[in-house]
Amino acid sequence: MMKTKNLSRRHFMATTAATSLILGAGRAMAAEPIKTAGIYTVPVEQQWVSRIHKAALAAQGRGDIDYSFSENVSNTDYARVMREYAEAGNTLIIGEVFGAEQEAREVAAEYPNVAFLMGSSFKEDAALSNFSVFDNYIQDASYLSGIIAGAMTESGNIGMVGGFPIPEVNRLMHAFMAGALEMNPDIKFQVSFIGSWFDPPKAKETAFAMIENGVDVLYAERFGVSDAAQEKGILAIGNVIDTQADYPETIVASAIWHFEPTLDKAIAEVQAGSFSAGDYGAYSFMNEGGTSLAPLGTFDGKVPAAALALVAQREAEIRSGAFSVTINDNEPSSS
């Protein structure tokens, strides 16, 4: 359900100011919060969306945006919700259109004075100047978490459970696998996709099957995987968020996504009246502050020193540009 606020004089002025900025008006009115809407196809508690939501709340807290959002929006209803928010005076709309790419771009074309920043598997189109794309290119931290997984497995058998084999999932899995193989070239992988972004029971059952087949470390791309690992007493590597507090004896490390650099760049462009079609993916890279490896926490002192030394070396090289993690968007397969 759409969360709305009463239209006050202040909100009206914010809307007017943000609209003027999109049109290229002067910076004098930029101090007014930009009326911003988030549209999400899953609950805001879901890993990926939670990071967008967190960044938006932070931007609202410092007065940059006036934020409302809708969650659990179906792909078939996405275009309608986009139009409602555009008609309501929002001048920055964020979300994820992986299942509604064409419809979303058609709506954006109808509202050229609204800036759209959308998670997408496709690139920007110069002909649609108000529609920018992003994705969580957190392969840098995924690679580092793979090094740790490669050091922690005893069976040399790692299971990987993902939602869908789309580029933003595939690249993280490949980076994780590459990191694990650098640590231990003999590791084998079991890879499976559950066909859902939010189905913890199915993810858990898939993980159980992998455990029965000999894995002792799981890559938890979806909710539910860590529950299976915890119940069976094996280890897991987290993705996008840090859930070690919930699984203190299970989650060894996690590749964290920080959406703040992506959103902050879009806010600055809207404030300057210079928002245009672009690919914001690079703002998820480690050297932009878009990703990091979560602290080891309860596993401090339990990860082999050789792995930690390699993580430190590779992280320094990634930040300096001396080492680049390969971006492979192809569907991964079991080995």
Side-chain angles (χ1 to χ4, degrees), residues 214-232:
V215 307
D216 65 350
V217 175
L218 283 162
Y219 177 76
E221 199 270 329
R222 293 292 102 194
F223 277 153
V225 177
S226 297
D227 295 296
Q230 180 176 251
E231 289 186 24
K232 295 298 184 179

Side-chain angles (χ1 to χ4, degrees), residues 204-257:
K204 186 176 180 180
E205 287 304 316
T206 302
F208 276 148
M210 290 180 173
I211 295 169
E212 288 294 320
N213 203 29
V215 307
D216 65 350
V217 175
L218 283 162
Y219 177 76
E221 199 270 329
R222 293 292 102 194
F223 277 153
V225 177
S226 297
D227 295 296
Q230 180 176 251
E231 289 186 24
K232 295 298 184 179
I234 70 167
L235 302 177
I237 301 294
N239 180 60
V240 176
I241 61 175
D242 185 4
T243 58
Q244 191 183 76
D246 299 318
Y247 307 94
E249 303 302 319
T250 303
I251 298 291
V252 184
S254 298
I256 307 301
W257 184 30

Side-chain angles (χ1 to χ4, degrees), residues 137-222:
Y137 283 84
I138 63 169
Q139 66 281 343
D140 296 332
S142 296
Y143 184 91
L144 300 181
S145 71
I147 292 174
I148 292 174
M152 298 300 286
T153 179
E154 296 179 358
S155 68
N157 195 338
I158 294 177
M160 307 182 71
V161 181
F164 292 93
I166 67 171
E168 66 109 5
V169 174
N170 298 343
R171 72 177 66 105
L172 305 188
M173 285 189 163
H174 278 295
F176 173 88
M177 294 163 79
L181 290 171
E182 182 172 9
M183 195 67 212
N184 181 351
D186 297 323
I187 287 175
K188 302 299 181 184
F189 300 95
Q190 296 180 41
V191 180
S192 184
F193 297 92
I194 64 171
S196 173
W197 291 131
F198 194 74
D199 191 344
K202 188 172 183 179
K204 186 176 180 180
E205 287 304 316
T206 302
F208 276 148
M210 290 180 173
I211 295 169
E212 288 294 320
N213 203 29
V215 307
D216 65 350
V217 175
L218 283 162
Y219 177 76
E221 199 270 329
R222 293 292 102 194

Side-chain angles (χ1 to χ4, degrees), residues 1-49:
M1 177 177 293
M2 184 183 295
K3 293 175 171 52
T4 61
K5 300 179 181 179
N6 292 330
L7 185 63
S8 65
R9 181 176 181 274
R10 179 172 178 270
H11 290 156
F12 175 78
M13 291 177 66
T15 299
T16 304
T19 303
S20 296
L21 289 166
I22 283 286
L23 292 172
R27 300 172 64 92
M29 300 179 71
E32 288 290 344
I34 298 165
K35 191 172 182 181
T36 302
I39 310 173
Y40 312 118
T41 61
V42 293
V44 291
E45 291 81 12
Q46 188 258 12
Q47 298 111 299
W48 196 85
V49 162

